[in-house]
Amino acid sequence: MALVDIERGDGYAVLTLNRPEAMNALSAALRAELARTVRAMEDDPAIRVLILTGAGERAFSAGLDLKELGSGASSVGDAVEVEDPVTALGCFSGPVIGAINGVAITGGFELALACDVLIASENSRFADTHARVGVMPGWGLSQKLSRLIGISRAKELSLTGNFIAAEQAERWGLVNRVVAAGDLLPEARRLAEDMLSVEPDMLTGYLKLIDDGFAASFAEGLALERERAADNAGISAEEIEARRAAVQARGRGQSG
């Protein structure tokens, strides 16, 4: 049985963490297979968007496999020092949609934060239990979470280890929206298809501009935008007119 199930769509792939009996805990083997799978998707020109989810309805991922770590079969240091799935997701050039189907705990929370957009099922909950396990995060949670929900809320979550439910995660801006469990993957697929309908070069180029600017100061980000906007000079009037008409037609069909 594959530890990462792959379902290919038209331009996108759904990657499913496939250890439901262990709440999709990130064993060394699962981490390595997920990293390899994401790299393979990056090398496949037919795949431009990823959807990441977990098998079953209980868990997106319960985090690093504590049973494995407790047995000595792998070490905490391996998760940071050895090539990891969060780094692999960061190297994927297209958007990654996290379809959070259940609990996302600690390392599973970090894996969720490696996605560009999060959609949560009504069953999902989030918790950072690093402080309770006694292990410092190494996949970015301590820096990303405060930038997403504010430093005070991030401190509350990380220094208590408390869970927040999907609705609270939405109110805090951690997830884009909450849907019924049965609607989660259809909603993620619709979003992937929407993203795939934009100009192909913009899908990766605009994503990179947003990410590069977010990692810089505001002034540096504005300068970066102006620099990359210089490429707009190569777009012809005919191209603009055709795209304008397509945008207008699409807008008339959208209610909100």
Side-chain angles (χ1 to χ4, degrees), residues 79-101:
V80 177
E81 295 169 6
V82 178
E83 188 170 25
D84 63 78
V86 169
T87 297
L89 286 167
C91 292
F92 184 75
S93 56
V96 180
I97 300 166
I100 312 302
N101 55 298

Side-chain angles (χ1 to χ4, degrees), residues 50 52 95-100 112-120 174-177 191 195 207:
L50 292 181
L52 181 64
V96 180
I97 300 166
I100 312 302
L113 293 180
C115 301
D116 296 291
V117 174
L118 295 181
I119 302 173
L174 178 61
V175 304
N176 288 46
R177 53 190 165 278
L191 180 57
M195 290 177 171
L207 175 64

Side-chain angles (χ1 to χ4, degrees), residues 8 35-44:
R8 291 174 178 270
R36 286 195 300 270
T37 301
V38 172
R39 290 198 305 270
M41 297 298 101
E42 172 66 12
D43 291 338
D44 186 344

Side-chain angles (χ1 to χ4, degrees), residues 15-18 24 52-57 59-61 99 101:
L15 307 183
T16 303
L17 308 175
N18 195 22
N24 301 315
L52 181 64
T53 193
E57 294 188 357
F60 172 72
S61 174
N101 55 298

Side-chain angles (χ1 to χ4, degrees), residues 134-212:
V135 174
M136 284 291 186
W139 287 347
L141 189 148
S142 68
Q143 304 304 304
K144 292 178 181 178
L145 187 59
S146 61
R147 286 163 170 79
L148 284 172
I149 65 173
I151 194 166
S152 296
R153 287 169 171 171
K155 287 176 179 177
E156 177 183 339
L157 283 186
S158 296
L159 299 180
T160 63
N162 290 342
F163 282 82
I164 59 169
E167 292 77 11
Q168 186 174 354
E170 183 181 26
R171 289 196 301 271
W172 282 10
L174 178 61
V175 304
N176 288 46
R177 53 190 165 278
V178 178
V179 300
D183 294 333
L184 181 63
L185 280 179
E187 181 71 11
R189 291 189 180 97
R190 280 193 293 270
L191 180 57
E193 290 164 356
D194 273 351
M195 290 177 171
L196 288 163
S197 69
V198 305
E199 290 298 311
D201 290 343
M202 290 294 288
L203 186 64
T204 53
Y206 204 170
L207 175 64
K208 183 169 174 53
L209 174 59
I210 294 169
D211 285 341
D212 289 349

